[in-house]
Amino acid sequence: MSGSAALLVLADGRFPAGGHAHSGGAEGAVKAGRLRGAGDLEHFCRGRLHTAGLTAAGLAAAAAAGHDPLALDEAADARTPSPALRRTARRLGRQMMRAARATWPSPALDELAAARPKGAHQPVVLGLAARSAGLTPLDAAYAAAYENISGPATAVVRLLSLDPFDATAVLARLAPETEQVAQTAARAADGPVEALPAASAPLLDLVAESHATWPVRLFAS
Amino acid sequence: MHLDHQVTDPERHTHSAPATRADGSRRALRIGLGGPVGSGKTATVAALCRALRDRLSLAVVTNDIYTSEDAAFLLREAVLPPERISAVETGACPHTAIRDDISANLEAVEDLEEAVGPLDLVLVESGGDNLTATFSQGLIDAQIFVIDVAGGDDIPRKGGPGVSTADLLVINKTDLAPYVGSDLEGMARDAKAQRGELPVIFQSLRSEAGVGPVADWAREQLAAWTGGAAPAA
Ligand SMILES: Nc1nc2c(ncn2[C@@H]2O[C@H](COP(=O)(O)OP(=O)(O)OP(=O)(O)O)[C@@H](O)[C@H]2O)c(=O)[nH]1
Ligand SMILES: [Mg+2]
């Protein structure tokens, strides 16, 4: 069965799963002066895509492939050194769970929701949602990888009043790399959970920790 | 035209906010307060808490745009114990958090109910926004739109979803009308033209009556929600 239309629903930036309130570390990078325009946005997104994006895509693909979601949730914890980002991932996972159970209800989602009432890691829930929607592991990896860069791009339009055409052009230029990352992640999902991608970006982790303590900020992360 | 003014209809049931708890009892009534920046939403929430907290189990969710000022104000004023106040972050888009993607707000409401429940009433304050910002019916059961006389007396005439469809329109800061030259009768006429039979309350939190009429309205909503008599004032 072709699930392309369901993938569009899942990957739509307006899918009501809480992402709009998060910048994927872009707010911290803007404040630190490292992200000042469309050129920087491309570097930022490329870095995210090949690190946090690849890791998230691997977890999502593995969940869609039918790996045990609780084992994947632990694997996600192990791949997320920043406590602030673990909290964020679980909060967004809970929000994704609510949206997924409303859109593609399934016993597997119900079970994970019961086992992790305060939220499992978002990529795991995303992958399970994809599975419930009849999508493939590769589809889930696409959704996770794309969301990893589309979230910051949207946030930077708000943070810097960046030209929205420039921001969207960045996403388009990164499309071939997004495809590669999704394919790598989907291939890894054929193997054991331990061997899933574990790339991380130390600066994103550090900035997330300090961002979480700011009294005044536009985005939750 | 808004087709569902009977938002406190006991039969109403949505996926996001079923009217009953897991054990079958009726969950807390959720009232949203929206309106432009600075119109008096937080002040009204604070006054409502003071008016209702002795008889009802209350909680508040605030949606600040880039700080937690509103939650901090409510905490400072000690209108409720801190565990009954929760702040949601909205990513620079307050209307998204109350209308297009309500998941964070739903979680805040549910967590409050779990932590300090059972609750009778949850007040959800939106971040200050524009005249089109209304709450999703998946989040709240009834909504109050708060405008003020100093923000321009032509706002009721301009209408928009908030002014024309909210379950209650509060026109706040009437004490300032003489100083800003606002025509209250004109505002009342325009509001009537926009809203038909839907209620409008003119309020000054600086006056004797204060939040009284809005508190009475909230008690009526709660009585209709629980299907019993209004709790005594
Ligand atoms: N004179 C007068 N001032 C009022 C009244 N109600 C509120 N205020 C004042 O108006 C200012 C803004 O009130 P808030 O309650 O913070 O307004 P808000 O709608 O919550 O504002 P945002 O959350 O920033 O959108 C405060 O200084 C209040 O004390 C009133 O009835 N009369
Ligand atoms: Mg306020």
Side-chain angles (χ1 to χ4, degrees):
Chain A
M1 160 178 134
S2 160
S4 301
L7 177 57
L8 295 178
V9 176
L10 183 62
D12 188 337
R14 280 166 295 190
F15 192 74
H20 72 95
H22 296 261
S23 78
E27 184 167 30
V30 165
K31 180 81 168 281
R34 283 190 292 272
L35 211 172
R36 287 155 312 208
D40 297 339
L41 177 64
E42 182 161 345
H43 295 311
F44 180 88
C45 286
R46 179 173 289 115
R48 232 188 112 72
L49 179 62
H50 290 282
T51 53
L54 174 63
T55 303
L59 291 162
H67 282 288
D68 173 18
L70 293 179
L72 289 171
D73 195 44
E74 277 179 19
D77 255 345
R79 284 160 176 72
T80 314
S82 151
L85 287 182
R86 282 205 289 270
R87 281 194 300 276
T88 296
R90 291 192 181 282
R91 189 176 311 150
L92 284 171
R94 186 176 169 197
Q95 292 175 252
M96 170 61 71
M97 177 61 85
R98 181 189 299 275
R101 289 170 87 190
T103 43
W104 296 289
S106 77
L109 286 170
D110 294 346
E111 268 169 45
L112 180 58
R116 291 280 179 276
K118 294 290 174 198
H121 276 259
Q122 192 266 5
V124 178
V125 185
L126 174 68
L128 204 56
R131 186 176 172 83
S132 299
L135 293 170
T136 65
L138 180 60
D139 292 331
Y142 271 125
Y146 178 63
E147 155 191 278
N148 249 268
I149 54 174
S150 62
T154 312
V156 169
V157 169
R158 293 184 210 162
L159 286 162
L160 291 178
S161 306
L162 196 69
D163 183 332
F165 298 116
D166 291 342
T168 303
V170 164
L171 295 176
R173 277 198 296 280
L174 288 172
E177 279 174 68
T178 308
E179 232 156 273
Q180 284 163 16
V181 163
Q183 279 160 5
T184 306
R187 270 195 305 276
D190 286 336
V193 171
E194 306 81 72
L196 289 173
S200 75
L203 199 49
L204 283 179
D205 294 337
L206 292 173
V207 169
E209 286 300 314
S210 79
H211 181 270
T213 66
W214 295 3
V216 175
R217 57 182 187 229
L218 281 181
F219 291 89
S221 80
Chain B
M1 175 68 198
H2 190 61
L3 294 174
D4 187 6
H5 290 316
Q6 291 306 107
V7 288
T8 51
D9 175 352
E11 297 310 313
R12 201 169 76 76
H13 180 103
T14 70
H15 182 91
S16 317
T20 49
R21 301 188 174 101
D23 66 1
S25 65
R26 204 151 181 77
R27 65 160 171 78
L29 176 70
R30 300 169 184 172
I31 295 181
L33 292 97
V37 176
S39 62
K41 298 178 291 298
T42 305
T44 300
V45 167
L48 279 173
C49 288
R50 291 195 187 95
L52 301 173
R53 68 189 172 190
D54 291 341
R55 305 253 170 187
L56 297 171
S57 177
L58 304 178
V60 174
V61 177
T62 63
N63 281 251
D64 281 314
I65 308 183
Y66 51 84
T67 64
S68 41
E69 296 242 347
D70 285 356
F73 175 84
L74 296 172
L75 288 170
R76 215 165 42 242
E77 296 284 302
V79 297
L80 289 179
E83 64 275 15
R84 288 176 179 265
I85 300 171
S86 176
V88 166
E89 290 174 293
T90 60
C93 270
H95 49 271
T96 305
I98 62 163
R99 186 186 57 205
D100 310 88
D101 183 350
I102 57 178
S103 49
N105 268 293
L106 282 171
E107 252 125 61
V109 171
E110 289 170 6
D111 286 349
L112 283 167
E113 173 96 32
E114 196 184 304
V116 297
L119 297 166
D120 297 310
L121 175 63
V122 181
L123 301 173
V124 182
E125 181 190 340
S126 162
D129 208 317
N130 63 51
L131 296 175
T132 65
T134 52
F135 285 84
S136 163
Q137 296 187 17
L139 175 61
I140 54 89
D141 305 300
Q143 54 190 312
I144 303 176
F145 201 71
V146 183
I147 60 173
D148 69 44
V149 304
D153 60 7
D154 53 349
I155 288 188
R157 186 173 48 72
K158 288 182 187 163
V163 164
S164 48
T165 71
D167 300 283
L168 173 65
L169 177 66
V170 172
I171 301 179
N172 193 31
K173 309 190 192 178
T174 52
D175 52 297
L176 298 181
Y179 306 107
V180 295
S182 285
D183 169 11
L184 296 185
E185 276 165 33
M187 290 181 95
R189 253 192 331 271
D190 293 339
K192 171 85 188 156
Q194 292 286 348
R195 296 174 52 77
E197 294 311 308
L198 287 169
V200 179
I201 292 177
F202 283 81
Q203 164 178 284
S204 165
L205 293 174
R206 301 276 191 270
S207 76
E208 183 91 8
V211 83
V214 174
D216 288 341
W217 177 88
R219 283 190 198 93
E220 281 165 30
Q221 298 301 302
L222 194 59
W225 174 252
T226 52

